[in-house]
Amino acid sequence: MKDYKTETNISARVPQQLELDLTVSASTEVAQYQDSSRFGYFSILTRDASGRAYQHSYTLDKLPFVLAEDGTLSKYFSGCKNDVYVSQATFESPCRRVVNLKDIQVAFLDIDSYKLAWGQHRRPEEIAQSFLSLCDAESIPRPSVIVFSGRGLQAKWLFERPVPRMALPRWNAVEKVLVEKMQQYGADSQARDASRVLRLVNTFNTKSGQKCRVVFLNRNAGGGIERYGFDELADIILPLDRPQRPQKSPVNANKSKTKRPIGFGLETLHWAFLEDLRTLLRIRGGIEEGMRNRFLMQMLSYLALSNQVTLKDFYREAQFLAQKIDPTWTYHSKDFGTVYEKFKAHMKGIRVEWNGQEKTPLYTPKAETLIEWFQITEEEQRQLKVIHSKELRRELDTERKRRERGGGSMQNYKERRAQSREFNTESVKALSEKGFSIRRIAEQLGISKTHVQRLLRGVP
């Protein structure tokens, strides 16, 4: 599988290398995807003897204090050695929600190998080797690390750099394909969200009484841990063929097609709309009472359409967004009910007819409609990714095409055009004074005869 690996050769911070005798501490394993030198939050979740869960979030710089030197939990968790979990992603604030995600530096699978014959009555290290063979058979690059979770396996693909929240739809697509390919071997389809917590190394699984530990390290040529460039890994795992779009009905066959912003797939586009609304919220410092209900409903619709949350997690994610709009807002869960029901219908594949077209029941207004609803100024639009008026979109598209041609900014373009106009005007007058005909002047300067006539009349 060497063809699938990407050698690490970057100037970014290189995490502490994992010990090669596989006696890996919890702090060392977590440090592979949680960087204590950066800003952000991670979460620790514990369960007591009754199964009740307790969660604590900390800034990344507290990582060395939360996890003791010997790899166990520190004095803050005195006596707690069983059923401890750690978040795989980093968050912007102490709240473990997908919509609060800052970045993530790992892809993972939770493998319930103990439920299948290939993962039973064998040592965890042997089960890990069998999993590697299954990865080879499915043309999946071998994971960087495999952790025995006390009953099953946790396979992790480490990235060279953290994947930012904006790229979450692509990360989620990678997770989805990994689960689809490995589900027949025990991959848990319910454990693929970016806000997931997984069992912490060197703690115990009370269901089996066994200790969680690292059972495989994928070493590169230099003897260190193998890491992947996220884009390279995604190119390997994601299918090349895009899913076929449904055919338009005859009624709409001749209708003009709405252009999608360059570089955006459908789920990524909806996530970008949600990010724009969050940016607008940050710019304004809040949303006034008269429009906050509609603002929240639209954010929730884009969250659902982006396919980054499940029905199970929808209400918790919705509560986080509502608090971001206004921490003093006394909302009720029923306020989310309409979008939740539409989300359920959307997940079932139900479509509604709108202007002769079949569409999702969730709210999908045009950018111009959002601008009108929320009174978004042009200055605010210029700080957004996709919520632009037609005029601004045309201007930005022109600038993008000009940059692609190496033409520089709009200001440079205007300056060059003014210089060209001045040159043409002077040249036309000089050639005309020499007795050149309009046709000959046009051929000489490479411009149209009409343009020559306009310049002779003094019209630019």
Side-chain angles (χ1 to χ4, degrees), residues 49 154 210 239 250 295 366:
Q154 295 172 173
Q210 297 201 53
F295 196 88
K366 295 181 179 179

Side-chain angles (χ1 to χ4, degrees), residues 46-102:
T46 60
R47 292 188 186 276
D48 60 19
S50 66
R52 185 176 179 181
Y54 300 88
Q55 181 170 285
H56 305 269
S57 295
Y58 307 90
T59 51
L60 287 171
D61 62 331
K62 299 294 191 300
L63 186 60
F65 303 99
V66 174
L67 298 178
E69 288 298 324
D70 62 357
T72 62
L73 289 174
S74 70
K75 61 183 180 181
Y76 296 110
F77 298 90
S78 179
C80 183
K81 285 279 292 180
N82 301 327
D83 298 329
V84 183
Y85 306 78
V86 63
S87 63
Q88 305 301 290
T90 302
F91 301 90
E92 290 189 338
S93 62
C95 181
R96 187 172 58 85
R97 294 284 170 260
V98 168
V99 289
N100 189 43
L101 186 133
K102 182 175 183 287

